[in-house]
Amino acid sequence: MTSQEVRLCGLLLREHFGEVVEKVGTQLLRGEAQNLRNILQETGVSLDLVKKSLCVLVQHGTCMFSTGRKGLGRPSEYRASCHLILRILRYPRYIYTAKTLYGDTGELIVEEMLQRGRVTMSDIVKVVADRLTQTMEEGQSMDYKEVSSAFSKLVETHFLQRCPRAASKGAADTPEAPVRAEPPAPESFADCYSVPQVTLVGRGKRQLEDAEEQSVAKKARMDSETHGDEGIYWQVNFERFHLHFRDQAIVTAVANKLDQTGGEIVRTMLRMSEVTTPPDAACTKPLSANEIFRSLPAAYTVPRQVLDQYLTLLVDDPMEFVGKAGESGGGLYVVNLHRVLSNLARATLESVVQERFGSRSARIFRLLLKKKHLEQKQVEDFAMIPAKEAKDMLYTLLSQNLVQLQLCFLRSIARARPGAVLVRMLERFVFSSGNPQDSRLCAISHFLSLHRQPALNCQDAASELLQDRGKPHPQTSV
Amino acid sequence: MTRGTTKGFIFQPTDDSAELVGGMSGRGRGRRGAEGASVTRGEPLLPSVQQPSPLFPAMEHKPLPLTCGEEAEYLLALKQELRGAMGARPGFIQPHAGHRSHADVERYSDKYHNSSEQTDALTNWITDWKRFPKEIQLCVRRSLKTGVSGAAQRSKRGRADEQKASVKEKQVLLKLEVSQPQIRQHQVHFTAVNTPHSAFNTRCHPQCCPPLSSPPSTRFARYLRLRCRHVAAVRHFSFNHLPHVVVTETLANEEQRGSEEEKEDNHEVDEEYEEELEEDTDYIMSYFDNGEDFGTESDDDMDEAVY
C-alpha cells in the first residue's frame, strides 16, 4: 500500500463517513492488525467514537477483525486493506450496471445495499418499495412482490450474496473452535445464494408529514414484525460485478476492433461459459462452433459460414481474443481471458504515451515493451529514428519515469564498459497514467510484474552518457 | 561541462530543475550577472522581453477531451447523490465538538447531549450485533430486563474486568440470596423515598444498610471499588456511604428488578421514559438543558407582534 493509496482511502472515508472514521481508518491502514487499545493510543480519539467508527467500518465490510492469535485471552485485532476501501470509488458503476440489467428496482436495491452494508431482505424490500412509491404518482404504490422478485433475480445471478455466518464469537465461547486468522469466505457456505422463504405482504408507504411520521415510526419500532428471515443478512457480491466489468471490457474491445456482430459472438461465448468458468481462470472452457451458432441471440443471427469467418478472424487477431482448442464439433474455441486483459492494458499504456509524447516516442516505447532491454544504439537502429532525436525522446521518457536506466557489466569483455546502458520499464507508471479502466489496472500490475528484474542503478554511468546535453542528472532512484 | 544554450533572460520560471525547457537556467539565475551576459540592472530590457514569461510552458501535445456522454454524466450524478446520501446516514460519525455550534468551550451538558442521538441512530441501523466483537458493541438497548448482568453498562469496561465481574457477580448473588429477607425489608424503605424513575438514587442512612456478612477478599474489594467509582462518578451524588454499602444497594435493586420482570408496570415505566432517560443518568434530558438555545430561534415568521 503506497502512501498515495492510503491518502486516497482517507479522503474517501472522510467523504462518506466523516473525519472521525477517516482517522481510525487511516490508522488501521498504516500498520498490521491492531487491537483497540493501540488504536486509541495512536489516534487520540475518544473511546466511544472509536467504537462507533469500528462498527461502521465492520458493517460495510472494509475492516476485518479476528480474535487474538496468541491465545484465548487476547483482545480482537482489527485490520483494513486499501482495496476494500477503494471499492467505494466504483459504487456508481455498480449501481449503473444494476440499472442496465434489472431496471430502476434493481438500481435502487443495489444503491440501498451499498449505503447500508449488510441488510436483511425484508428491510431492503420495504425501504426500496417506499422509495419507489415516492417517485410514483399520487395514489399508486409499489407492491412488495415486485421488489422481492427483483431481489431474487439479483441473487440468482450471484450479484448479491448472503453474509457468512459470524466468525468465532470470542474467547468465552467453546475453546475447541479453531481460532482462524481469516474470516470465512462467503462462498464456502452452502446456501450462499438461496433466497429464504419470506412472508412479505404489503405495499410501499408514502412519506407522511413530519409529526405523523415520527409517531408512525415509533409504533413500527414497538411492534417488530418478523418476516421469517431474521439473522440472514445480505451483501453486495463485488467480485461478480468485477467479472461483469471484465466481460464488458472484452466485448467492447472486440466491437471496436471488428464490428458489433463480432462483439455479440464473443458476448455469447462468455455468457455460455459464465457458470462453468471459475473467476480466476486464464481462459474459458472450450465451446464448439455448433453450440455457439445455436446460442446466438435472435437479433444477430448470421449464416454458419459467416460465423466461422468471424471466429477465424478473432483467432488470428494479434490481440488474441479467441484461441482455437481443437477441431471437433466444427472447431473448439476458448476466450483467452488473461491474455486479452494484458493486451488491453498494454494498448492503454501505449495510447497514453502516444497522446502525451507523440507517435515516435510511442514507437520507442512499444519497442522497449517488446524487447525489454536495449542499449542506446539498438534503440536508434530498431526504431529508425535519428540518433539525436532518439536520445531526446529517451531522455523525456526517462524524466517522466516511464523507462529506467540500468548499468550492466558485460563479462565477455576484459574491462567493464561503463557506457553500456540498459533500458527497461517501470512499474510505477501505472499510478501516474490517466484514467484506465479498473480491470485493466489489475491486469497492468499483473502484466508488469512479469517483467520485473532486480538491477543495479548507477548514477555515474548515466551522467557520462548524458553530459554532452548539459542536463542535470536523471532520477535513478526507484 | 558547458552550460548549454543560455538565452540571457533575467526572468526565469521557477520550476524544478528537471523541467526540460528551463533546465539549467533556473539554477544559474543567481550567477548570470557574473558571467557577463547581456543585461545588467538599471538598463532597459531586451526588446524580446516585454512581459513576464507565461505561467505554464507551451504544450506540444494537447490532451484528449474528457469522456462525455449520457453514461458518464449519469455516473457523475450518481456519485454526487451517493456522497450526499451517505452524509445523512447514521454511519456518518460526527465528532463531539462539531455536533454543536459552540465548539469553543467544553460543556458539562455535552456529555449527555452528544452521544445520545448518534448512538440511537447507529443501534437502529446495525442490528446483528453477533457479528461484531464484544468490545465494540455499543449499548444495545436500555433494557433492564436482564437485571443482574447489566450487559449494557458492561460493554464499556473491557474484557478482563468483565470476566472477573461475571465470576464475582455469582458470588455476590449467592450472598444476596442468603441475606434476602434482610434486604427485602429495606427495599420497602427505599421505594418510599425514591421517585419512580430514579431507582438508583438511593439516599438512606448507613444504619439501615446491612453490612456484608464476611469481609471481602482483596480482589473482590477492588472490583467493588471499581464498580463504585463507576457508579459514583456517573451519578455525581456525594454520599458518605461506605463503598460496599452502595454496591450492595445497587446490586440488590438490580436483583430485585430482575425478579420482578413479570410485572407490567415496570415495563411501562421503562418504555414511557425511554426517550427521556439517558444512559448513566436518572434525570430527564431537559435537566441538562443549559439554556443556550434561548432566543436562538428566529422570530422572523412570527405573525403576532412582540411586545
Side-chain angles (χ1 to χ4, degrees):
Chain A
M1 280 180 273
T2 64
S3 62
Q4 293 295 342
E5 270 183 322
V6 172
R7 209 172 126 234
L8 175 61
C9 291
L11 288 172
L12 279 173
L13 287 176
R14 194 205 296 188
E15 285 282 338
H16 290 88
F17 302 113
E19 288 179 4
V20 181
V21 178
E22 179 197 0
K23 272 196 213 137
V24 174
T26 5
Q27 179 54 37
L28 284 175
L29 284 171
R30 280 215 188 100
E32 288 293 315
Q34 304 169 36
N35 55 8
L36 188 58
R37 222 180 101 237
N38 216 349
I39 302 173
L40 271 174
Q41 273 175 352
E42 299 285 328
T43 54
V45 180
S46 68
L47 176 64
D48 61 330
L49 282 183
V50 168
K51 289 204 295 187
K52 281 181 199 164
S53 318
L54 285 173
C55 287
V56 169
L57 286 174
V58 172
Q59 174 76 358
H60 273 88
T62 49
C63 168
M64 306 291 161
F65 66 91
S66 55
T67 49
R69 280 161 289 163
K70 294 188 189 141
L72 296 175
R74 298 277 284 181
S76 4
E77 304 187 322
Y78 306 90
R79 61 183 175 283
S81 55
C82 272
H83 77 271
L84 295 172
I85 300 178
L86 287 177
R87 280 189 313 211
I88 300 182
L89 280 172
R90 295 183 216 131
Y91 280 7
R93 262 190 96 183
Y94 299 143
I95 301 172
Y96 184 68
T97 307
K99 185 190 177 83
T100 49
L101 292 174
Y102 297 106
D104 284 342
T105 321
E107 177 194 10
L108 282 182
I109 290 178
V110 172
E111 186 178 336
E112 288 296 326
M113 284 194 74
L114 286 172
Q115 281 184 17
R116 279 151 216 266
R118 290 185 244 174
V119 73
T120 57
M121 179 171 171
S122 31
D123 284 341
I124 198 78
V125 166
K126 282 188 216 157
V127 162
V128 171
D130 289 343
R131 260 189 87 171
L132 283 168
T133 314
Q134 297 287 117
T135 59
M136 291 166 104
E137 296 160 3
E138 276 299 323
Q140 288 185 0
S141 60
M142 173 64 83
D143 197 6
Y144 284 172
K145 279 205 191 57
E146 292 179 38
V147 184
S148 300
S149 67
F151 189 90
S152 313
K153 272 189 245 158
L154 277 166
V155 172
E156 271 165 26
T157 43
H158 293 359
F159 281 109
L160 301 176
Q161 65 186 175
R162 278 205 211 185
C163 298
R165 250 164 264 133
S168 50
K169 292 209 183 90
D173 271 78
T174 53
E176 53 263 17
V179 175
R180 284 200 256 184
E182 297 296 325
E187 306 259 314
S188 56
F189 290 99
D191 45 356
C192 178
Y193 297 112
S194 56
V195 182
Q197 285 302 320
V198 174
T199 55
L200 266 178
V201 178
R203 307 187 70 87
K205 293 176 197 36
R206 214 169 271 280
Q207 194 115 46
L208 304 164
E209 300 299 320
D210 273 4
E212 283 179 59
E213 190 201 339
Q214 278 180 16
S215 63
V216 163
K218 222 170 183 168
K219 232 170 58 176
R221 234 195 301 165
M222 293 311 177
D223 47 66
S224 54
E225 326 160 17
T226 54
H227 295 283
D229 69 336
E230 261 58 38
I232 303 179
Y233 290 86
W234 297 85
Q235 64 189 15
V236 174
N237 184 4
F238 295 107
E239 288 308 315
R240 178 70 182 88
F241 276 104
H242 296 166
L243 292 178
H244 182 88
F245 294 156
R246 177 198 69 182
D247 295 347
Q248 251 184 345
I250 297 177
V251 168
T252 16
V254 173
N256 284 338
K257 194 109 196 254
L258 296 185
D259 66 353
Q260 194 66 20
T261 317
E264 286 306 315
I265 293 174
V266 177
R267 195 201 298 271
T268 314
M269 288 176 76
L270 286 167
R271 201 170 5 104
M272 284 163 64
S273 44
E274 227 169 41
V275 279
T276 51
T277 316
D280 50 351
C283 45
T284 61
K285 291 269 181 316
L287 298 164
S288 70
N290 297 332
E291 283 175 14
I292 301 173
F293 182 63
R294 263 175 284 160
S295 321
L296 277 177
Y300 288 97
T301 338
V302 290
R304 182 59 199 272
Q305 258 185 333
V306 177
L307 172 71
D308 285 336
Q309 283 173 355
Y310 267 112
L311 286 171
T312 323
L313 272 176
L314 285 168
V315 168
D316 293 334
D317 196 279
M319 292 280 265
E320 296 181 82
F321 292 112
V322 169
K324 195 151 186 186
E327 293 297 341
S328 62
L332 284 177
Y333 296 96
V334 293
V335 178
N336 304 318
L337 296 166
H338 280 196
R339 241 180 278 164
V340 169
L341 287 178
S342 50
N343 287 333
L344 281 176
R346 193 171 40 78
T348 314
L349 292 178
E350 286 169 12
S351 79
V352 171
V353 172
Q354 181 167 332
E355 291 303 325
R356 269 207 214 162
F357 304 109
S359 44
R360 300 216 278 179
S361 302
R363 208 185 321 157
I364 296 181
F365 191 78
R366 246 176 275 144
L367 196 63
L368 286 169
L369 271 179
K370 213 164 120 195
K371 306 268 188 182
K372 300 188 194 39
H373 307 281
L374 283 178
E375 287 185 21
Q376 173 84 25
K377 268 201 98 11
Q378 287 172 315
V379 168
E380 292 163 16
D381 292 337
F382 284 131
M384 290 181 283
I385 295 176
K388 189 154 178 269
E389 291 174 20
K391 263 199 200 131
D392 229 339
M393 289 174 196
L394 257 183
Y395 177 70
T396 316
L397 290 176
L398 179 71
S399 66
Q400 298 291 325
N401 262 336
L402 291 169
V403 301
Q404 194 182 26
L405 280 178
Q406 177 185 334
L407 180 70
C408 158
F409 291 98
L410 299 177
R411 287 198 201 114
S412 55
I413 303 179
R415 255 180 306 124
R417 269 206 306 169
V421 154
L422 298 175
V423 191
R424 69 180 172 89
M425 284 265 310
L426 245 194
E427 194 176 69
R428 226 195 297 159
F429 172 62
V430 169
F431 299 105
S432 59
S433 65
N435 218 11
Q437 299 283 346
D438 297 304
S439 59
R440 290 179 195 175
L441 196 61
C442 305
I444 288 172
S445 354
H446 162 77
F447 169 69
L448 290 173
S449 65
L450 298 174
H451 297 288
R452 199 187 322 169
Q453 282 185 24
L456 293 168
N457 296 333
C458 186
Q459 214 162 352
D460 306 324
S463 67
E464 271 181 37
L465 178 72
L466 298 163
Q467 68 186 10
D468 52 340
R469 308 198 58 219
K471 300 285 179 195
H473 295 319
Q475 298 174 3
T476 51
S477 59
V478 176
Chain B
M1 194 151 113
T2 61
R3 285 268 167 209
T5 54
T6 57
K7 304 224 169 53
F9 287 150
I10 290 187
F11 301 102
Q12 295 296 330
T14 52
D15 297 350
D16 297 335
S17 53
E19 182 61 28
L20 279 179
V21 174
M24 293 309 286
S25 358
R27 264 209 230 138
R29 190 166 65 146
R31 285 171 267 164
R32 196 156 303 272
E35 281 189 346
S38 26
V39 189
T40 56
R41 239 181 243 246
E43 285 189 8
L45 293 171
L46 285 176
S48 51
V49 180
Q50 298 293 350
Q51 55 193 351
S53 53
L55 209 49
F56 297 104
M59 282 178 74
E60 287 172 14
H61 305 277
K62 298 271 183 286
L64 291 173
L66 293 173
T67 45
C68 295
E70 242 184 79
E71 186 181 332
E73 285 178 17
Y74 192 75
L75 284 175
L76 187 64
L78 269 179
K79 182 184 95 158
Q80 286 166 341
E81 245 185 71
L82 194 67
R83 298 246 170 120
M86 296 286 262
R89 301 260 330 139
F92 198 89
I93 312 260
Q94 305 272 9
H96 281 316
H99 200 64
R100 291 285 187 157
S101 53
H102 39 262
D104 46 353
V105 181
E106 207 179 297
R107 286 178 171 73
Y108 167 80
S109 57
D110 283 345
K111 189 169 165 190
Y112 297 100
H113 277 296
N114 273 331
S115 45
S116 55
E117 297 158 26
Q118 227 173 58
T119 326
D120 270 351
L122 256 178
T123 48
N124 277 340
W125 169 39
I126 302 179
T127 46
D128 57 337
W129 289 105
K130 285 193 231 102
R131 292 172 199 269
F132 290 80
K134 283 214 183 77
E135 57 186 9
I136 60 171
Q137 287 180 10
L138 305 173
C139 306
V140 180
R141 271 292 186 171
R142 289 174 239 95
S143 63
L144 300 169
K145 286 178 191 164
T146 55
V148 187
S149 54
Q153 293 182 350
R154 286 292 162 79
S155 68
K156 287 200 174 161
R157 226 152 355 108
R159 197 160 282 205
D161 276 347
E162 204 180 321
Q163 283 177 354
K164 266 193 253 170
S166 59
V167 168
K168 292 307 164 191
E169 200 162 19
K170 293 194 175 80
Q171 293 186 9
V172 171
L173 263 184
L174 282 172
K175 284 186 193 143
L176 285 176
E177 275 175 327
V178 163
S179 52
Q180 191 82 329
Q182 279 179 313
I183 292 173
R184 266 201 205 276
Q185 298 176 341
H186 300 286
Q187 186 61 25
V188 173
H189 173 76
F190 294 164
T191 47
V193 173
N194 298 335
T195 52
H197 55 87
S198 55
F200 288 104
N201 182 7
T202 55
R203 221 180 284 146
C204 70
H205 304 289
Q207 298 155 342
C208 43
C209 303
L212 284 178
S213 48
S214 61
S217 64
T218 46
R219 263 178 109 195
F220 189 32
R222 208 182 329 135
Y223 153 68
L224 290 175
R225 258 181 270 124
L226 270 174
R227 190 75 208 266
C228 156
R229 216 179 294 138
H230 175 73
V231 166
V234 169
R235 297 286 185 273
H236 302 286
F237 302 140
S238 56
F239 291 129
N240 291 329
H241 285 224
L242 300 167
H244 62 274
V245 168
V246 172
V247 176
T248 327
E249 292 168 9
T250 50
L251 281 180
N253 283 340
E254 282 180 26
E255 202 246 338
Q256 285 301 311
R257 195 174 282 273
S259 67
E260 290 170 352
E261 247 176 74
E262 307 81 29
K263 289 198 182 168
E264 286 306 309
D265 45 358
N266 264 349
H267 279 283
E268 281 176 21
V269 165
D270 282 350
E271 285 167 1
E272 233 176 272
Y273 289 104
E274 202 170 358
E275 56 196 354
E276 289 173 334
L277 275 181
E278 281 307 322
E279 29 178 292
D280 306 335
T281 178
D282 303 317
Y283 294 115
I284 62 174
M285 287 316 292
S286 59
Y287 177 80
F288 297 105
D289 184 18
N290 49 18
E292 295 202 357
D293 294 331
F294 181 77
T296 49
E297 294 176 22
S298 71
D299 296 334
D300 295 336
D301 298 329
M302 300 270 287
D303 292 317
E304 304 125 28
V306 176
Y307 299 109

